[in-house]
Coordinates of all heavy atoms in Angstrom, one line a residue:
I1 N 108.8 81.7 117.5 CA 107.4 82.2 117.4 C 107.0 82.8 118.5 O 106.5 83.9 118.7 CB 106.4 81.1 116.9 CG1 106.7 80.6 115.5 CG2 105.1 81.5 117.1 CD1 106.1 79.4 115.0
V2 N 107.2 82.2 119.8 CA 106.8 82.8 121.1 C 107.5 84.1 121.2 O 107.0 85.2 121.7 CB 107.2 81.8 122.2 CG1 107.0 82.5 123.5 CG2 106.3 80.5 122.1
I3 N 108.9 84.2 121.0 CA 109.6 85.3 121.2 C 109.0 86.4 120.2 O 108.9 87.6 120.7 CB 111.1 85.1 121.0 CG1 111.6 84.2 122.2 CG2 111.9 86.4 121.0 CD1 113.0 83.7 122.0
M4 N 108.9 86.1 119.0 CA 108.4 87.1 118.1 C 107.1 87.7 118.4 O 106.8 88.9 118.2 CB 108.5 86.6 116.7 CG 109.9 86.2 116.1 SD 111.0 87.6 116.1 CE 112.6 86.8 115.8
V5 N 106.3 86.8 118.8 CA 104.8 87.4 119.2 C 104.9 88.4 120.4 O 104.2 89.4 120.4 CB 103.9 86.2 119.7 CG1 102.7 86.6 120.3 CG2 103.5 85.3 118.3
I6 N 105.8 88.1 121.3 CA 106.0 89.0 122.4 C 106.6 90.3 122.0 O 106.1 91.4 122.4 CB 106.9 88.3 123.6 CG1 106.0 87.1 124.1 CG2 107.1 89.3 124.7 CD1 106.9 86.2 125.0
Y7 N 107.6 90.2 121.2 CA 108.3 91.4 120.7 C 107.4 92.4 119.8 O 107.4 93.5 119.7 CB 109.7 91.1 120.1 CG 110.7 91.1 121.1 CD1 111.6 90.0 121.0 CD2 110.9 91.9 122.1 CE1 112.7 89.9 121.8 CE2 111.9 91.8 123.1 CZ 112.8 90.8 122.9 OH 113.8 90.8 123.8
T8 N 106.6 91.5 119.0 CA 105.6 92.3 118.2 C 104.6 93.1 119.1 O 104.3 94.3 118.8 CB 104.8 91.2 117.4 OG1 105.6 90.6 116.5 CG2 103.7 92.2 116.6
T9 N 104.2 92.5 120.1 CA 103.3 93.2 121.1 C 103.9 94.5 121.7 O 103.4 95.6 121.8 CB 102.7 92.3 122.2 OG1 102.1 91.0 121.5 CG2 101.7 92.8 123.0
I10 N 105.2 94.1 122.2 CA 105.8 95.2 122.9 C 106.2 96.3 122.0 O 106.0 97.6 122.4 CB 107.3 94.6 123.4 CG1 107.0 93.7 124.7 CG2 108.2 95.8 123.8 CD1 108.2 93.1 125.1
F11 N 106.6 96.2 120.8 CA 107.1 97.2 120.0 C 105.7 97.9 119.4 O 105.7 99.0 119.0 CB 107.9 96.7 118.8 CG 109.2 96.5 119.2 CD1 109.9 95.2 119.1 CD2 110.0 97.4 119.8 CE1 111.1 94.9 119.6 CE2 111.4 97.2 120.3 CZ 111.8 95.9 120.1
Y12 N 104.6 97.2 119.3 CA 103.4 97.9 118.8 C 102.9 98.8 119.8 O 102.4 99.8 119.6 CB 102.4 96.8 118.4 CG 100.9 97.5 118.3 CD1 100.6 98.0 117.0 CD2 99.9 97.2 119.3 CE1 99.4 98.7 116.7 CE2 98.7 97.8 119.0 CZ 98.5 98.5 117.6 OH 97.3 99.1 117.4
L13 N 103.0 98.3 121.2 CA 102.5 99.2 122.3 C 103.4 100.4 122.4 O 102.9 101.4 122.8 CB 102.4 98.4 123.6 CG 101.3 97.2 123.6 CD1 101.4 96.6 124.8 CD2 99.9 97.9 123.4
S14 N 104.6 100.3 122.2 CA 105.6 101.4 122.3 C 105.8 102.3 121.1 O 106.6 103.1 120.9 CB 107.0 100.8 122.7 OG 107.4 99.8 121.7
Q15 N 104.9 101.8 120.0 CA 104.9 102.6 118.8 C 106.2 102.5 118.1 O 106.4 103.5 117.3 CB 104.4 104.1 119.0 CG 103.0 104.2 119.6 CD 102.6 105.6 119.9 OE1 103.3 106.5 119.5 NE2 101.3 105.8 120.5
E16 N 106.9 101.5 118.2 CA 108.1 101.3 117.3 C 107.7 100.3 116.2 O 108.0 99.1 116.2 CB 109.3 100.7 118.2 CG 109.8 101.7 119.2 CD 110.8 102.6 118.5 OE1 111.0 102.5 117.4 OE2 111.1 103.7 119.1
Y17 N 107.0 100.8 115.3 CA 106.3 100.0 114.2 C 107.4 99.3 113.3 O 107.0 98.2 112.8 CB 105.3 100.8 113.5 CG 104.3 101.3 114.2 CD1 103.9 102.8 114.3 CD2 103.5 100.7 115.1 CE1 102.9 103.3 115.1 CE2 102.5 101.1 116.0 CZ 102.3 102.5 115.8 OH 101.2 103.0 116.6
F18 N 108.5 99.9 113.1 CA 109.5 99.2 112.2 C 109.9 98.0 112.8 O 110.1 96.8 112.1 CB 110.7 100.2 112.0 CG 111.8 99.5 111.3 CD1 111.8 99.4 109.9 CD2 113.0 99.2 112.0 CE1 112.8 98.8 109.2 CE2 114.0 98.5 111.3 CZ 113.9 98.4 109.9
F19 N 110.2 97.9 114.0 CA 110.6 96.6 114.7 C 109.5 95.6 114.8 O 109.7 94.5 114.8 CB 111.2 97.0 116.0 CG 112.5 97.8 115.8 CD1 112.6 99.2 116.0 CD2 113.8 97.2 115.6 CE1 113.7 100.0 115.8 CE2 114.9 97.8 115.3 CZ 114.9 99.3 115.4
A20 N 108.4 96.2 115.0 CA 107.1 95.3 115.1 C 106.9 94.5 113.8 O 106.6 93.4 113.9 CB 105.9 96.1 115.5
L21 N 107.1 95.3 112.8 CA 107.0 94.6 111.5 C 108.0 93.6 111.2 O 107.9 92.6 110.4 CB 107.0 95.7 110.3 CG 105.7 96.5 110.4 CD1 105.9 97.8 109.4 CD2 104.4 95.7 109.8
I22 N 109.3 93.9 111.6 CA 110.3 92.9 111.5 C 110.1 91.6 112.3 O 110.3 90.4 111.7 CB 111.8 93.5 112.0 CG1 112.2 94.5 111.0 CG2 112.7 92.4 112.1 CD1 113.4 95.2 111.6
A23 N 109.4 91.8 113.5 CA 109.1 90.6 114.2 C 107.9 89.8 113.5 O 107.9 88.6 113.6 CB 108.6 91.0 115.6
I24 N 107.0 90.5 112.8 CA 105.9 89.9 112.3 C 106.5 89.2 111.0 O 105.9 88.1 110.7 CB 104.9 91.0 111.7 CG1 104.2 91.4 113.0 CG2 104.0 90.4 110.7 CD1 103.3 92.7 112.8
T25 N 107.4 89.7 110.3 CA 108.0 89.1 109.1 C 108.6 87.8 109.5 O 108.4 86.7 109.0 CB 109.0 89.9 108.4 OG1 108.4 91.2 108.1 CG2 109.8 89.2 107.3

């Protein structure tokens, strides 16, 4: 969960929304 929250933030800020959504899933 910790890792996924961090990667969700990183990919959202870098506008890589596909990977942000994978992390959210």
Side-chain angles (χ1 to χ4, degrees):
I1 289 170
V2 171
I3 292 172
M4 293 302 167
V5 168
I6 296 168
Y7 275 137
T8 299
T9 306
I10 288 175
F11 288 119
Y12 174 74
L13 293 176
S14 59
Q15 298 182 5
E16 290 286 348
Y17 298 129
F18 174 76
F19 295 97
L21 290 171
I22 289 180
I24 289 171
T25 302

